Amino acid sequence: MKCEHCTRKECSKKTKTDDQENVSVDAPSPARENGEKGEFHRLADAKIFLSDCLACDSCLTAEEGAQLSQQSTKEFFRVLNLNKRCDTSKHRVLVVSVCPQSLPYFAAKFNLSVTDASRRLCGFLKSLGVHYVFDTSIAADLSILESQKEFVRRFHQHSEEQRALPMLTSACPGWVRYAERVLGHPVTPHLCAAKSPQQVMGSLVKDYFAKQQNLAPEKIFHVVVAPCYDKKLEALREGLSAAPGAQGADCVLTSGEVAQIMEQSDLSVKDAAVDTLFGDTKEVTLRRHEGASSDGHLAHVFRHAAKELFNEHVEEVTYRALRNKDFQEVTLEKDGEVLLRFAAAYGFRNIQNMILKLKKGKFPYHFVEVLACPRGCLSGRGQAQTEDGHPDKTLLRQMESIYTDIPVQPPETSAHLQELCQAWLGSPGAQEVLHATHPSPVRCLGSLDIRW
């Protein structure tokens, strides 16, 4: 099976169901047969989407394919079972980090408040044998703060000769992989150099937390629970290991995969509070960043840039939908002049329009929050899907309502973050753990001609 736009004979993209994991047969697109048009074309019974194929460019190497097979519940249980055996030399400390956009899914699915859902998930994971469960919000804090600094620097550097803007966010692995593997120049220089929250969390766990616990990084098995499948591909990126010989995330499981384990388990579960990287015994209040369904890079960078560059305090960030609800604009205006023009572009249709205008030099924005999934991270294809692979709209509406009710805390106000910056990032060269490079393909494919 393969995407209808793919030129390869066989697709190497992993399917979304365990029983179809090794299926590889060409299948006509039902969307094409029925004459339907849409952003995502479902391919027969195998849940392969156009967005998925574009995200990995159907070009996984043999090594990547082998590593991707380890991003599964099977690998997770393999490590759990090794820890129950007598050979302690093979035991590893299991750490699970949960993305904020996953919690509303568990809350809606199990009809719990988001706090109770967090406790239930944490208690369940610990009943399996997990040692620590963390929230990735503090990693998003660091990613956002680095993005703020980079945008201000780019704004000052930007000129006709040196096109440092627009700055495009790099938190979404589907979008970043597509930009790196397919688009190349002139797009990759515009990608933000700050690591994504998942990558920062990998550095936190394998470096900061490992040192706190006096553990070698390879003695920690770090699992990330995330809303989309492309987070699995993000874990495989070369050059992003948090310490020598250890990649930041050893295994990524989607929210849906974890929910399935919970539903099939007959373990007696006692709710437990999420752990903190700082050893606090007091339960931390759940929080999120400003943004309808993402980590909120746009809103936080916009506020910071307005204050830092123009000494303007922005009380409320106002979004204005343009060509569709997944392309929105935010502007800072003074005396009739537009000082800052930001945008949020969600879904590959909007991404293509953005890239076409960027290449033509007709893209007026200073900053764009780019996400591969329409409606943002909450609608990631690793959660809130019906059995036939379509978004569960009823569940998504519940999740959006739950996510909106979580208190917002700006990263600058976190006392723990200030403590972390002093203890972890104060030494020379430590800032490197927060930054990534974005390589371009040797041969850039002509994918801008694809009609989505």
Side-chain angles (χ1 to χ4, degrees):
M1 81 202 132
K2 59 180 182 176
C3 164
E4 63 181 89
H5 295 290
C6 184
T7 57
R8 291 173 175 261
K9 292 182 178 180
E10 184 173 324
C11 178
S12 53
K13 180 75 177 181
K14 183 180 177 182
T15 59
K16 302 299 185 283
T17 53
D18 292 336
D19 57 335
Q20 294 173 326
E21 206 167 285
N22 299 315
V23 175
S24 183
V25 292
D26 290 349
S29 166
R32 176 182 288 177
E33 288 179 353
N34 298 333
E36 298 173 355
K37 294 182 179 179
E39 182 168 355
F40 299 97
H41 305 296
R42 190 163 62 87
L43 305 182
D45 293 329
K47 296 167 186 174
I48 295 284
F49 293 85
L50 176 56
S51 59
D52 299 322
C53 294
L54 289 174
C56 74
D57 191 31
S58 299
C59 59
L60 288 179
T61 64
E63 182 181 3
E64 284 177 323
Q67 291 178 330
L68 189 60
S69 67
Q70 297 176 3
Q71 305 288 320
S72 64
T73 55
K74 185 182 295 185
E75 179 69 7
F76 176 52
F77 279 106
R78 183 188 71 82
V79 177
L80 283 171
N81 290 330
L82 279 176
N83 279 0
K84 296 175 182 178
R85 296 180 182 176
C86 296
D87 187 357
T88 56
S89 64
K90 295 183 179 180
H91 288 193
R92 300 175 75 178
V93 174
L94 269 98
V95 176
V96 174
S97 298
V98 183
C99 297
Q101 293 79 22
S102 291
L103 288 178
Y105 169 71
F106 291 105
K109 186 170 183 62
F110 297 116
N111 197 27
L112 299 169
S113 70
V114 71
T115 300
D116 288 343
S118 174
R119 291 171 179 157
R120 181 69 51 83
L121 176 62
C122 183
F124 175 75
L125 291 170
K126 291 192 173 184
S127 72
L128 291 176
V130 171
H131 300 97
Y132 298 93
V133 179
F134 297 131
D135 171 26
T136 65
S137 292
I138 195 164
D141 286 341
L142 288 167
S143 178
I144 290 169
L145 290 177
E146 289 304 305
S147 299
Q148 291 175 350
K149 295 176 188 175
E150 182 176 345
F151 177 78
V152 171
R153 185 173 65 252
R154 281 177 179 256
F155 191 91
H156 286 307
Q157 293 173 346
H158 183 71
S159 65
E160 288 297 325
E161 295 74 28
Q162 185 178 1
R163 311 292 291 183
L165 298 175
M167 186 173 98
L168 310 176
T169 58
S170 56
C172 171
W175 147 244
V176 170
R177 191 173 178 89
Y178 176 59
E180 291 177 345
R181 293 291 184 99
V182 182
L183 300 177
H185 280 281
V187 175
T188 50
H190 292 278
L191 288 174
C192 178
K195 283 187 177 181
S196 72
Q198 176 172 305
Q199 294 161 2
V200 174
M201 197 66 197
S203 297
L204 276 169
V205 169
K206 292 295 185 77
D207 186 21
Y208 176 77
F209 178 72
K211 290 174 181 176
Q212 294 292 315
Q213 299 295 318
N214 197 27
L215 291 168
E218 58 269 20
K219 293 296 290 183
I220 297 175
F221 188 78
H222 183 209
V223 181
V224 174
V225 178
C228 75
Y229 286 91
D230 285 322
K231 294 287 187 181
K232 295 175 184 280
L233 292 167
E234 182 178 24
L236 305 183
R237 286 194 62 197
E238 296 178 2
L240 291 174
S241 56
Q247 64 187 60
D250 298 289
C251 179
V252 175
L253 300 178
T254 65
S255 316
E257 288 174 318
V258 175
Q260 187 175 33
I261 298 172
M262 295 175 73
E263 289 175 326
Q264 295 175 352
S265 173
D266 56 1
L267 289 174
S268 176
V269 176
K270 182 179 179 181
D271 291 357
V274 172
D275 301 294
T276 77
L277 288 161
F278 308 96
D280 296 0
T281 54
K282 183 180 178 181
E283 184 174 359
V284 178
T285 303
L286 289 174
R287 62 185 179 89
R288 68 175 178 90
H289 297 95
E290 189 170 348
S293 63
S294 68
D295 285 314
H297 283 72
L298 186 153
H300 291 291
V301 174
F302 184 80
R303 290 179 189 276
H304 177 79
K307 184 67 176 176
E308 190 75 13
L309 297 171
F310 304 103
N311 198 30
E312 293 287 332
H313 176 71
V314 177
E315 192 69 36
E316 183 178 352
V317 178
T318 303
Y319 292 81
R320 183 167 66 96
L322 297 183
R323 59 179 59 92
N324 56 65
K325 64 181 180 181
D326 278 328
F327 192 95
Q328 300 189 71
E329 181 182 84
V330 176
T331 59
L332 177 68
E333 301 180 25
K334 186 175 182 180
D335 299 328
E337 180 186 1
V338 176
L339 304 177
L340 291 174
R341 193 185 298 273
F342 282 30
Y346 298 171
F348 275 103
R349 183 184 301 171
N350 287 320
I351 290 173
Q352 187 197 30
N353 288 331
M354 175 187 75
I355 297 303
L356 289 173
K357 291 183 178 181
L358 181 63
K359 292 190 73 175
K360 292 177 180 178
K362 297 180 179 179
F363 195 66
Y365 296 97
H366 297 105
F367 176 99
V368 188
E369 180 179 273
V370 190
L371 298 176
C373 291
R375 300 178 70 171
C377 298
L378 283 181
S379 60
R381 298 205 177 276
Q383 61 184 23
Q385 297 288 297
T386 60
E387 291 184 1
D388 59 355
H390 289 91
D392 188 330
K393 294 181 180 180
T394 302
L395 194 61
L396 272 173
R397 283 193 292 269
Q398 287 181 263
M399 291 163 57
E400 288 168 352
S401 175
I402 292 168
Y403 190 72
T404 302
D405 289 339
I406 299 174
V408 173
Q409 182 182 20
E412 298 89 346
T413 62
S414 170
H416 278 320
L417 186 64
Q418 297 172 13
E419 174 189 337
L420 180 65
C421 290
Q422 292 176 357
W424 185 44
L425 302 175
S427 58
Q431 289 287 331
E432 294 179 6
V433 302
L434 299 180
H435 298 101
T437 56
H438 299 287
S440 296
V442 176
R443 180 179 65 86
C444 188
L445 302 180
S447 299
L448 289 177
D449 295 328
I450 294 176
R451 290 188 178 182
W452 288 336

